[in-house]
Amino acid sequence: PYNIHIENFPLLDESVALDVLKSNLPEKDKRIEEEIDAAKKLCQWLDCLPLTLNLVGIHLAYKQDLSISTMLERLNKENLGQKAIDKINGVIELSWEELSDDAKQLSYFLSLFALAPIHWETAEEFLGEKPYNVEELRDEKLLKFNLLQPKEKGLYQFHNTIREFIKNKRDELDSADELKKSFCRELFNYINTILKETLIGGKVFELVETRGFIYLEPHLEEIANTFTHLMNSEDLLISHLLMLNFNIFSGNYHRAIEWGKQYQSEINQLQIESSCSEDDYYNSLLIRYQLARVYSLQGNFTKAEEYLEEILEDIKTYSEDSFRYLLNLVLSDLGKLLATKGQFEKAENYCKYALEIKEELVNRKDINNIPDLIADLTPNLNALANVYLVRGQYGEAEKIYKGF
């Protein structure tokens, strides 16, 4: 059940192994010197692996009245056989038994993250009904027993072996699926809050960096790959759309396309299992639009045009504002693309239609206020001006730019 290979662990000389074991004990502790033969046997039993030596050393430090020979007897009683990984799991079990129920619950929660640094402040944001003493549980239990490792300031991570051990413990729970669903739900609520604040404040990079958002990518990827069967359609969209955009931002267009297509496959399966809502259909169109953007960035304009034309055909009968806004984006992008192919009349018509839709949406949105039309219409005006520039109608383009 554990995807771990023993060759990934460095083996120590016996003398170094004894030093590692002793380094976890108080300075005045003489148990190793008093039971040196038992201590050497203990190191041999642990295969001189640093991880297990540290875990056992911490356990001995915690159990001041436990002799080395009794410790060795206890491990042998586990009847773990000769496999090194089984021995490691047996040693981890000793630390696990010392954890309170709250500390175990915190471990289950943290094991839902990927094998990557966890930004503690961000994790607390979607911990849900967290224990009042959550930091104490982290420091006095998980860190003390060497189950969780501190990284840079504010970052923590499980060792792969320990994470696999806790994952298996977690998946044995009757509430395992509900725990995963709750984790996804809280994470996406947190992400939605960030996205809203980003749109309102307009300080994307400042907000993302200060709130630890940059550390979420590997964890979001873990969720999007592992927990899709537990997600509703909205969560499925958020997870895959964010991964798609993470990869666009990093210039990994091939991977971005894979995320878009993976979403289409997942949502199609969801639609087979249950009826498709209008929101689901909109989300599917939105992902296809994002794929068209990626193909355009990649220089694959034929594929981008194909996607935009298909979306245009599928979307034009819908009158809801969300669909109309997406239609405006599709028309504007298609207009700019067709202008580069010399189809100027069609490109101009598309951009003018997009501008008309955007004006309608902006005016309706700001019905009780004076709309800032120039600010809201800037992308559409730029698109139309671009068509005129490509066509050589510089006077028409100049009129638009002078209106800013």
Side-chain angles (χ1 to χ4, degrees):
Y2 298 93
N3 299 317
I4 307 161
H5 301 285
I6 190 61
E7 59 266 24
N8 293 335
F9 296 95
L11 305 182
L12 305 176
D13 292 334
E14 185 181 83
S15 60
V16 178
L18 286 168
D19 288 339
V20 171
L21 191 64
K22 188 175 180 179
S23 67
N24 292 285
L25 304 179
E27 191 174 340
K28 295 180 180 179
D29 195 311
K30 301 298 180 185
R31 279 177 289 178
I32 289 180
E33 288 84 352
E34 292 170 358
E35 299 182 82
I36 188 64
D37 290 338
K40 288 179 179 179
K41 288 180 182 178
L42 179 60
C43 290
Q44 290 168 6
W45 194 95
L46 297 170
D47 293 318
C48 295
L49 293 169
L51 174 64
T52 51
L53 290 164
N54 276 308
L55 287 170
V56 168
I58 290 167
H59 190 78
L60 287 168
Y62 183 71
K63 299 281 191 179
Q64 293 285 319
D65 58 345
L66 184 65
S67 69
I68 302 291
S69 50
T70 303
M71 176 83 241
L72 187 58
E73 287 174 17
R74 186 173 296 179
L75 289 170
N76 281 319
K77 279 182 183 177
E78 293 288 339
N79 192 27
L80 298 171
Q82 296 303 307
K83 291 186 178 180
I85 297 304
D86 287 337
K87 292 181 181 181
I88 293 171
N89 292 328
V91 172
I92 297 172
E93 185 73 46
L94 293 174
S95 295
W96 183 253
E97 289 171 357
E98 300 299 329
L99 298 185
S100 63
D101 288 343
D102 280 347
K104 288 179 180 177
Q105 286 297 321
L106 179 59
S107 298
Y108 296 144
F109 167 75
L110 294 174
S111 71
L112 292 164
F113 288 88
L115 187 65
I118 301 167
H119 186 257
W120 184 261
E121 188 177 329
T122 303
E124 280 193 298
E125 293 278 354
F126 51 94
L127 186 52
E129 295 183 10
K130 60 186 176 187
Y132 72 93
N133 59 338
V134 64
E135 289 192 7
E136 182 182 330
L137 291 173
R138 179 197 68 196
D139 297 342
E140 296 301 318
K141 296 296 182 181
L142 303 188
L143 290 175
K144 182 176 181 180
F145 287 103
N146 212 30
L147 295 175
L148 190 66
Q149 301 293 323
K151 296 294 182 181
E152 299 172 33
K153 184 178 179 182
L155 300 177
Y156 300 86
Q157 185 176 336
F158 280 126
H159 188 286
N160 183 39
T161 318
I162 293 171
R163 179 173 175 268
E164 290 295 324
F165 175 89
I166 296 172
K167 278 175 61 180
N168 278 272
K169 290 284 188 183
R170 180 197 73 210
D171 289 342
E172 290 171 2
L173 299 172
D174 292 336
S175 59
D177 279 354
E178 187 51 46
L179 188 65
K180 294 170 188 175
K181 287 179 184 178
S182 175
F183 179 79
C184 292
R185 190 161 51 246
E186 294 294 339
L187 171 61
F188 295 137
N189 285 341
Y190 168 75
I191 289 172
N192 275 330
T193 301
I194 281 192
L195 293 179
K196 286 175 185 175
E197 291 181 7
T198 299
L199 291 173
I200 293 168
K203 297 181 179 179
V204 180
F205 297 110
E206 179 182 332
L207 179 66
V208 164
E209 288 178 5
T210 55
R211 300 196 62 169
F213 197 73
I214 54 175
Y215 296 106
L216 277 181
E217 182 179 358
H219 308 298
L220 192 61
E221 182 171 0
E222 173 83 2
I223 290 168
N225 279 323
T226 310
F227 299 151
T228 51
H229 64 293
L230 300 171
M231 293 183 195
N232 59 33
S233 57
E234 183 181 353
D235 292 344
L236 197 64
L237 172 73
I238 293 171
S239 62
H240 287 65
L241 192 57
L242 278 171
M243 287 311 304
L244 188 153
N245 280 285
F246 269 132
N247 283 281
I248 289 176
F249 183 74
S250 63
N252 192 349
Y253 301 134
H254 177 73
R255 190 74 181 108
I257 290 169
E258 286 181 351
W259 278 108
K261 290 186 173 180
Q262 184 176 322
Y263 171 82
Q264 289 181 305
S265 174
E266 296 283 355
I267 200 68
N268 287 341
Q269 183 59 39
L270 200 62
Q271 289 167 8
I272 291 170
E273 296 169 359
S274 59
S275 58
C276 175
S277 69
E278 194 170 274
D279 284 344
D280 292 337
Y281 188 66
Y282 171 80
N283 293 342
S284 180
L285 290 173
L286 180 61
I287 286 288
R288 285 158 64 190
Y289 171 69
Q290 293 289 333
L291 283 170
R293 282 182 59 223
V294 180
Y295 283 122
S296 207
L297 289 167
Q298 210 176 31
N300 190 344
F301 301 115
T302 302
K303 196 72 175 176
E305 182 183 354
E306 178 186 321
Y307 266 76
L308 291 170
E309 292 281 10
E310 287 177 0
I311 299 166
L312 184 60
E313 183 63 31
D314 292 340
I315 203 175
K316 59 187 180 183
T317 57
Y318 290 86
S319 58
E320 291 80 0
D321 282 0
S322 57
F323 284 92
R324 297 285 286 171
Y325 181 74
L326 184 56
L327 175 58
N328 135 72
L329 294 175
V330 171
L331 286 166
S332 188
D333 284 5
L334 197 49
K336 288 186 289 185
L337 195 153
L338 292 175
T340 64
K341 296 177 67 177
Q343 298 180 32
F344 300 119
E345 186 174 344
K346 198 173 182 181
E348 183 178 343
N349 288 337
Y350 278 160
C351 286
K352 283 182 175 178
Y353 185 22
L355 183 59
E356 180 185 321
I357 293 171
K358 190 67 174 294
E359 283 179 332
E360 169 199 327
L361 292 171
V362 169
N363 279 301
R364 188 157 64 249
K365 179 189 72 173
D366 295 316
I367 195 165
N368 296 318
N369 303 292
I370 298 173
D372 186 356
L373 287 176
I374 294 298
D376 287 321
L377 299 179
T378 297
N380 297 79
L381 292 168
N382 268 326
L384 184 56
N386 182 70
V387 172
Y388 288 135
L389 287 172
V390 175
R391 196 173 189 176
Q393 294 178 288
Y394 304 116
E396 294 297 322
E398 186 179 3
K399 288 178 186 177
I400 293 176
Y401 289 127
K402 280 185 176 179
F404 278 78

